[in-house]
């Protein structure tokens, strides 16, 4: 695992990523856009390429972007789980869910985890089962809202909250279920004419 961090910031963004991953050309922008201190972490879903085919790694939580303050609040990765495949990731994401409102969890094109089963032979890490004893967390997948009437209503409501002095164009609205709740979070992404980003979170319960 590699842990990358933005520099020169009082509260840097961290992103943990496996060595055998190919990322989109604008991936750094996506990490910065979706990771907001005290509000959201970013756990994008990659496509996993294996010897016997490919699939979306829906339940892989090891690659995640998070602010240093939120990482520390969640107490980070526990080295106790270092040789129990996936348990360290499950343990961390479960604790992270309790410290921030939600986790942005979207399928990202050109975000690919490639490896061959051959390199796992005689490897202690991959021969030890995930024996995490707690309840496995379920991170709701985020989706893009397409209902035009709902988008219009959300935009009107959000612009009243933002009170921008310049015109804003609504780019995307992500919808994510709230952990342990029937509610959802609408994550509205705006840009102004200078391509500066704005956002608003609207929770429905």
């Amino acid at each position: 695992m590699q842990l990358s961090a933005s520099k020169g910031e009082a509260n840097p963004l961290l992103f943990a990523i496996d060595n055998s991953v190919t990322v989109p050309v604008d991936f750094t922008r996506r990490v910065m856009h979706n990771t907001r201190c005290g509000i959201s972490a970013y756990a994008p879903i990659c496509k996993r390429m294996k010897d016997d085919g490919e699939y979306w790694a829906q339940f892989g939580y090891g690659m995640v972007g998070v602010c240093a303050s939120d990482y520390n609040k969640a107490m980070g990765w526990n080295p106790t789980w270092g040789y129990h495949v996936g348990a360290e990731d499950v343990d961390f994401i479960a604790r992270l869910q309790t410290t921030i409102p939600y986790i942005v969890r979207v399928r990202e094109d050109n975000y690919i985890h490639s490896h061959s089963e051959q390199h796992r032979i005689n490897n202690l890490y991959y021969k030890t089962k995930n024996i995490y004893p707690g309840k496995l967390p379920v991170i709701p997948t985020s989706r893009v809202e397409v209902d035009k009437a709902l988008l219009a209503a959300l935009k009107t409501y959000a612009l009243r909250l933002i009170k921008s002095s310049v015109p804003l164009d609504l780019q995307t609205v992500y919808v994510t279920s709230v952990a342990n709740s029937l509610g959802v979070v609408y994550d509205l992404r705006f840009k102004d004419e200078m391509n500066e980003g704005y956002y608003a979170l609207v929770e429905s319960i």
Side-chain angles (χ1 to χ4, degrees), residues 41-92:
Y42 177 50
I45 302 170
C46 68
K47 181 168 287 187
R48 187 162 292 169
M49 314 293 286
K50 301 183 71 172
D51 294 341
D52 57 353
E54 63 181 56
Y55 62 95
W56 288 104
Q58 186 73 27
F59 298 104
Y61 303 125
M63 294 181 284
V64 58
V66 61
C67 284
S69 58
D70 295 325
Y71 176 86
N72 291 331
K73 189 175 180 180
M75 304 301 289
W77 272 276
N78 185 343
T80 301
W81 302 110
Y83 287 95
H84 301 84
V85 182
E88 75 279 27
D89 302 329
V90 170
D91 176 63
F92 174 61

Side-chain angles (χ1 to χ4, degrees), residues 130-151:
N130 182 342
I131 57 172
Y132 181 67
K135 182 179 180 181
L136 294 178
V138 176
I139 310 300
T141 302
S142 305
R143 63 177 176 82
V144 176
E145 182 58 67
V146 295
D147 185 293
K148 292 183 178 179
L150 179 56
L151 290 174

Side-chain angles (χ1 to χ4, degrees), residues 82-156:
Y83 287 95
H84 301 84
V85 182
E88 75 279 27
D89 302 329
V90 170
D91 176 63
F92 174 61
I93 207 76
R95 285 182 281 111
L96 187 61
Q97 273 189 295
T98 68
T99 62
I100 55 176
Y102 84 112
I103 297 172
V104 179
R105 184 93 173 129
V106 293
R107 293 181 176 183
E108 294 286 15
D109 293 328
N110 301 315
Y111 181 44
I112 300 170
H113 191 183
S114 304
H115 58 71
S116 169
E117 293 297 332
Q118 291 299 314
H119 80 284
R120 294 188 169 195
I121 299 175
N122 297 322
N123 187 316
L124 174 62
Y125 185 92
Y126 291 109
K127 282 192 171 185
T128 310
K129 293 183 179 180
N130 182 342
I131 57 172
Y132 181 67
K135 182 179 180 181
L136 294 178
V138 176
I139 310 300
T141 302
S142 305
R143 63 177 176 82
V144 176
E145 182 58 67
V146 295
D147 185 293
K148 292 183 178 179
L150 179 56
L151 290 174
L154 288 169
K155 179 179 178 180
T156 299

